[in-house]
Amino acid sequence: MDIAGSKQSLIDVEITTVNKTKRMSTLSSALKNNAVKLAVGLAFIGVNILLYKQSTHIAIAQFLGYPSSEDSNIRLLMSSNYTNSSSESKTVVKEGLHFSLTPPPSLPPLSPSSPALLKKLAFLREPVINPHPYNYTLFPSVSCSKQPVELAICVPISRDNFMGRQTIRETWGSYANSTANKAVLVFFIGSELQTSDSPSATQRRIDEESKLFGDILQESYIDHYNNLSLKSVSILKWVASYCSESRYVLKADDDMYVNIPLLAKTLPKLSLSSPQSAFVVGSVQYGARPIRSRSSKWYTPHSVFKGSVYPNYASGTAYAMTTEAAQILYEASLRVPLFWLEDIYITGLCTAKSNVLVMNSNLFTYDKPDASGCSFRAHISGHRYKLEEIRLIHRELYDPNTVCEKSGT
């Protein structure tokens, strides 16, 4: 028996076995590495799909320099007061995922701890019954703290009215483009009733618009005509929290033309003559009564407003106020039951609660003066203008070659 040959054979078998084991170990490691890579790749794809769904919100957060999503509220609270078949209002609440950007730190609200303030504003002792719990989904990059601000121009507008916003930016809202004018322009919009995790094409377009101009504030209430009071409260909240350094506030609808330079000259004069430092000025409506006809756009049943006469209020088409008034009215809105007609709610019911003065000025009108620059030599506001009429008025008003008859100057 060849013992040496047998030993060599055994050695060869052992070497072969070791090599096979090494190859199997290498193959197993490779498979494990590939599995890990595959898992990481799938996770990466999944994360990117999620980020794609919310990409516009995150991009805006990065654009505006806000904290990352881990610091954001991932919550949706949407509410709308749609009119049902009985014409009574009801609240619809939807909950789901939605990124809410974290705005800059706000100033504290009015504090009821001051005896002097409590004496002046006794209503602050009353409990909050109408909180405004809506999240910011878009926040403007314009700032009232980085520059002196005399006038905050606030425009409530339908979320899908892109041309309206652009027209205002290029006409009467362009007053805010010059730092010498000490003004800011902000558009206030609501949200859509979200039916999926992905934002709609309209919302994606709004997000891009916000990136470009930085002048849109969006909250999570449903953007609907019946929610205009919520939109106006969002204006008061923003002014009270983020623009309290300003002196005056203008609220004007998107179908208005507003002669901002004339307004800027008029408001300080009113401050000097007003018996109160907190006031609202506009086209005041006296002795208006609720419309009880169901066929009317402004139908208000007894269950919504029991009185027979509304308090005096300024037409919601355009009104201005001191920033002090805006701060007080925001606090009042938290303590006055919500009413769907925003001008009556803000400048009627809330001013009555807080004793903020409402002043009439014939320079404001809810009518439609002639669409010409000459008409607005003597008007601050006019109503129901088409976009091309707004541009025409603005062009003529600022054209030094425009010649007006003496009666129109």
Side-chain angles (χ1 to χ4, degrees):
M1 185 175 187
D2 188 352
I3 296 175
S6 298
K7 287 182 176 180
Q8 184 62 45
S9 297
L10 288 172
I11 291 171
D12 291 339
V13 170
E14 288 175 358
I15 292 172
T16 302
T17 302
V18 169
N19 289 338
K20 286 182 178 179
T21 302
K22 287 182 177 179
R23 286 196 298 270
M24 290 181 66
S25 177
T26 302
L27 179 61
S28 176
S29 297
L31 289 173
K32 288 180 180 179
N33 288 337
N34 288 337
V36 171
K37 290 179 180 178
L38 179 61
V40 171
L42 289 174
F44 180 80
I45 293 170
V47 169
N48 275 275
I49 290 173
L50 176 61
L51 291 178
Y52 174 75
K53 291 181 178 181
Q54 302 293 348
S55 60
T56 50
H57 298 282
I58 294 173
I60 294 168
Q62 293 171 341
F63 174 78
L64 298 181
Y66 293 146
S68 61
S69 60
E70 64 185 17
D71 296 324
S72 302
N73 298 320
I74 308 178
R75 179 170 173 263
L76 170 66
L77 177 60
M78 287 187 172
S79 174
S80 62
N81 295 341
Y82 292 104
T83 303
N84 60 21
S85 57
S86 63
S87 298
E88 302 291 335
S89 69
K90 64 179 181 179
T91 299
V92 179
V93 177
K94 296 285 182 181
E95 293 188 3
L97 287 178
H98 195 79
F99 279 84
S100 175
L101 300 183
T102 304
S106 65
L107 295 175
L110 295 176
S111 171
S113 59
S114 166
L117 193 59
L118 279 174
K119 184 177 180 180
K120 181 180 178 182
L121 304 172
F123 75 91
L124 288 175
R125 297 179 185 273
E126 300 177 18
V128 171
I129 62 171
N130 182 42
H132 190 77
Y134 305 99
N135 295 329
Y136 291 121
T137 54
L138 286 175
F139 199 82
S141 60
V142 298
S143 173
C144 295
S145 59
K146 296 178 181 178
Q147 60 179 348
V149 175
E150 284 285 311
L151 179 64
I153 303 170
C154 302
V155 184
I157 189 168
S158 175
R159 59 192 297 275
D160 59 356
N161 191 358
F162 300 96
M163 291 301 296
R165 287 191 286 274
Q166 192 58 26
T167 297
I168 292 171
R169 289 186 189 106
E170 295 174 358
T171 57
W172 55 269
S174 66
Y175 182 86
N177 293 345
S178 172
T179 55
N181 290 332
K182 299 179 181 179
V184 293
L185 170 66
V186 179
F187 296 97
F188 292 79
I189 64 174
S191 298
E192 63 190 348
L193 183 60
Q194 201 165 336
T195 57
S196 68
D197 291 341
S198 300
S200 66
T202 298
Q203 185 60 50
R204 289 195 297 271
R205 187 178 172 190
I206 292 170
D207 293 343
E208 290 301 316
E209 181 187 6
S210 178
K211 279 189 197 179
L212 183 60
F213 296 103
D215 58 5
I216 296 176
L217 187 147
Q218 183 178 39
E219 284 193 354
S220 56
Y221 57 83
I222 302 300
D223 199 305
H224 187 272
Y225 181 80
N226 286 6
N227 277 346
L228 289 180
S229 291
L230 294 179
K231 195 170 287 189
S232 291
V233 172
S234 76
I235 292 174
L236 300 177
K237 179 181 178 181
W238 176 77
V239 171
S241 300
Y242 302 104
C243 202
S244 61
E245 300 91 344
S246 61
R247 189 177 180 189
Y248 301 106
V249 180
L250 167 69
K251 180 268 179 186
D253 288 349
D254 57 359
D255 60 349
M256 303 293 290
Y257 186 85
V258 184
N259 185 339
I260 301 291
L262 180 56
L263 173 67
K265 292 177 182 178
T266 301
L267 288 173
K269 296 176 182 178
L270 291 174
S271 289
L272 291 174
S273 62
S274 172
Q276 294 180 209
S277 58
F279 65 81
V280 176
V281 60
S283 177
V284 177
Q285 310 301 300
Y286 301 95
R289 296 178 177 274
I291 296 176
R292 305 301 189 187
S293 172
R294 291 179 179 270
S295 61
S296 172
K297 176 182 179 180
W298 298 282
Y299 165 62
T300 302
H302 286 278
S303 58
V304 174
F305 185 84
K306 299 188 186 323
S308 59
V309 179
Y310 290 130
N312 297 339
Y313 66 93
S315 168
T317 53
Y319 54 79
M321 66 183 75
T322 58
T323 298
E324 180 185 350
Q327 293 172 305
I328 294 172
L329 290 175
Y330 174 61
E331 291 291 335
S333 74
L334 303 178
R335 296 163 174 84
V336 176
L338 191 67
F339 184 66
W340 72 287
L341 295 173
E342 75 83 20
D343 48 6
I344 295 172
Y345 180 63
I346 300 295
T347 71
L349 298 173
C350 290
T351 57
K353 165 69 77 174
S354 57
N355 292 317
V356 169
L357 179 65
V358 183
M359 297 192 298
N360 181 68
S361 171
N362 292 331
L363 294 174
F364 290 83
T365 179
Y366 59 87
D367 289 328
K368 184 180 181 180
D370 184 52
S372 69
C374 292
S375 292
F376 277 84
R377 298 279 180 89
H379 286 104
I380 285 177
S381 68
H383 187 213
R384 298 192 190 94
Y385 292 111
K386 297 177 182 178
L387 299 183
E388 58 269 23
E389 291 177 317
I390 292 175
R391 292 184 180 276
L392 174 64
I393 295 168
H394 189 75
R395 187 166 59 249
E396 292 184 356
L397 183 61
Y398 285 82
D399 184 352
N401 297 318
T402 299
V403 178
C404 301
E405 297 179 2
K406 289 185 178 180
S407 61
T409 58

